[in-house]
Amino acid sequence: MKSSSKLAVVIMAAGKGTRLKSSRPKVLHEIGGKPLLGHVIAAASKIVAPGDIYAVVGHQAERVKTAMASTGINFVDQTEQHGTGHAVQCAGKAIADYENILVLSGDAPLVRPETIDRLWQVHQAEKAAMTLTSAEPEQPTGYGRVLHKTPESKEVVAIVEQKMLTPEQLSLREVNMGMYAFQTAPLLKHLGKLTADNPHGELYLTDMAHVLSAAGERVVAFKTDEPNELLGANTIAEMMALDADLRTKTANRLMASGVTIFRPDTCVIDADVEVAPDTVIEPYVQLLGKTRIGADCLIRSYTVIESCTLGDGVIVQQSCVLTDSTVADGATIGPMAHLRPDSEIGEGAHVGNFVETKKAKLGKGVKVGHLTYLGNAEVGEKTNIGAGVITCNYDGVHKHNTKIGKNVFVGSDSTLVAPVNVEDGAYIGAGSCITKDVPPESLAVARSHQTIKEGWVAIRRAKQAEKR
Ligand code: UD1
Ligand code: CA
């Protein structure tokens, strides 16, 4: 969908978002697991290259720039925020060499690339100096209203903000959705004519409709039939409504591609999550960040998976927490397992209940069934880790590695004090505290010997009877 290099996109994102009552900049609030501005940039990047996108930032600008740096877009500073018209003035130098610009709001995250592209097509076909996006929502209150030359005309003479509406204009139903296309030359020629003669004392970009049309330039409206897409979020409650909407769309996208999601309304699935067909997701599952799940998997209730990659045929039982990890085909996890960052679970491996892993690489077919901690550890193929095994990876200052070979049997309740190596085929007796390397195919037992005192109970009982 990429358009000519003569087109730039300006995203207005400098506002404070006073109505959110939050210390975080408005455009960094998240819906669907991604900041509002991140959604808008993603949509705009389908129309022009990131190098042709300019975000106008002001309130906590550095924080916004840092959060969005990886997108590769440009930033323009609007140090003091004197309105949407002022925001575009601040971008004046940056856009001067482009023939046309599209202006988007950083707080309208549901906008689809298809809709932006339609605005762009209409703008070109109409040869307009300004094309604004309008709609007729059920509830027009609060929006700027669009005033046409005549009721039948496409051409617009002004946008009137809510607070400036005359009693007769209150009945106008067509509203300005806040997304525009401009020819750069007439825009820059007349942009300086904006005045702050309004209740907010701001320079309104919307006033360009009147300024341009009064200068004899053509201003038209592109009426969208999808006004919900351009809804802005001005309060947390409005934002959470957009979040619910977006997550419903994500769940529907996955279901349409062959994923079964029971009670999708209870699941929290971020916008960028991918799941292959025939995977089943039970109620109350969270799939977050850039999570990728293969085909034929089963993700059971109350599991939270964040930024993980799962192969095909993986089973994740109830109440597991998986973060920044990978799980290969056919592995089974949980219930109640915790894969912390940099865990790599091999093909067909089993990680059972109350097992925690961190920076741990488990080979093909490894079994670690119960109550275990594996940190900074590597475990070779087909090794069996008994119940209650612990890698003691931390000496209070540094982390150390534990390397366990293939086909090893680690008896239950053993502790492995790192750094330590257990070579292929070795056996470790239950209850051992292993502090030295274990050679291949050998048995290591490191526990105190058991003593038996036969008849001890009868003797003790007799002694107690004497005392009475
Ligand atoms: C704006 C329109 C209104 C339209 C509505 C659609 C104006 C004056 N009004 O109102 O006609 O119906 O959108 O949602 O444009 N911003 C800056 N710098 C500033 C001020 C704002 O970058 O100095 C950014 C904000 O961060 C925001 C966007 O511009 O992302 C829109 O500003 P906002 O204050 O939300 O405008 P609305 O009141 O929604
Ligand atoms: Ca807004």
Side-chain angles (χ1 to χ4, degrees), residues 375-430:
N376 299 85
E378 195 178 322
V379 183
E381 282 177 34
K382 295 204 177 125
T383 282
N384 187 93
I385 309 279
V389 169
I390 291 170
T391 54
C392 310
N393 62 328
Y394 187 51
D395 61 12
V397 183
H398 297 108
K399 298 273 173 69
H400 301 282
N401 297 330
T402 301
K403 193 160 182 248
I404 304 173
K406 299 177 194 168
N407 296 303
V408 170
F409 178 94
V410 181
S412 293
D413 198 29
S414 293
T415 49
L416 304 162
V417 182
V420 72
N421 292 324
V422 180
E423 307 272 356
D424 293 353
Y427 272 63
I428 292 174

Side-chain angles (χ1 to χ4, degrees), residues 155-217:
E155 283 191 62
V156 173
V157 290
I159 299 170
V160 187
E161 290 303 304
Q162 175 76 30
K163 286 194 175 164
M164 312 274 278
L165 289 171
T166 62
E168 308 86 73
Q169 289 171 337
L170 275 170
S171 64
L172 289 173
R173 305 259 353 257
E174 188 179 349
V175 308
N176 166 37
M177 297 307 296
M179 180 166 85
Y180 320 84
F182 290 97
Q183 282 175 14
T184 315
L187 172 70
L188 294 181
K189 184 174 167 201
H190 298 289
L191 197 56
K193 292 185 184 163
L194 290 178
T195 63
D197 184 15
N198 55 57
H200 285 119
E202 289 186 347
L203 301 178
Y204 288 164
L205 183 61
T206 46
D207 284 347
M208 284 312 292
H210 178 65
V211 169
L212 286 168
S213 114
E217 298 284 353

Side-chain angles (χ1 to χ4, degrees), residues 11 69 164 182 319 327 332 346:
I11 305 174
M164 312 274 278
F182 290 97
S319 302
V327 180
T332 54

Side-chain angles (χ1 to χ4, degrees), residues 12-15 19 26 56 78 81-84 87 105-107 143-144 159 161 176-178 180 204 206 234:
M12 300 182 293
R19 288 163 282 187
K26 180 180 195 177
V56 181
Q78 186 192 15
Q81 293 86 55
H82 298 303
T84 47
S105 274
D107 69 344
Y143 289 96
I159 299 170
E161 290 303 304
N176 166 37
M177 297 307 296
Y180 320 84
Y204 288 164
T206 46
N234 294 322

